[in-house]
Amino acid sequence: MIDVTREELLARRADILHRIELSEEEFDAVRATRSLSSEEWEAKEELEEIAFLLGADR
């Protein structure tokens, strides 16, 4: 089992968004308006996992 702190999860989320060059709000808009690139799809999957681990519903 791997323990990850909340701070590490938040930092990972920031890194993912930085990698795709979008804010969280911009990425939400992208997801709602068009098909995702393979890199964006991977980011979506990772962000959803992080949200789950943080206890968010997104």
Side-chain angles (χ1 to χ4, degrees):
M1 182 160 85
I2 299 172
D3 288 327
V4 181
T5 67
R6 178 177 179 77
E7 291 75 25
E8 290 170 325
L9 290 171
L10 294 173
R12 178 67 184 140
R13 181 171 65 187
D15 289 343
I16 293 166
L17 291 167
H18 179 74
R19 185 181 77 223
I20 61 172
E21 300 177 345
L22 294 169
S23 70
E24 195 166 354
E25 294 78 20
E26 291 169 330
F27 191 47
D28 286 343
V30 165
R31 291 171 58 187
T33 59
R34 66 170 172 80
S35 297
L36 300 178
S37 69
S38 60
E39 184 177 22
E40 290 167 339
W41 185 262
E42 183 179 313
K44 178 189 95 58
E45 295 292 317
E46 286 186 79
L47 291 170
E48 288 175 352
E49 291 172 9
I50 290 170
F52 175 78
L53 292 172
L54 290 172
D57 59 353
R58 259 187 51 172

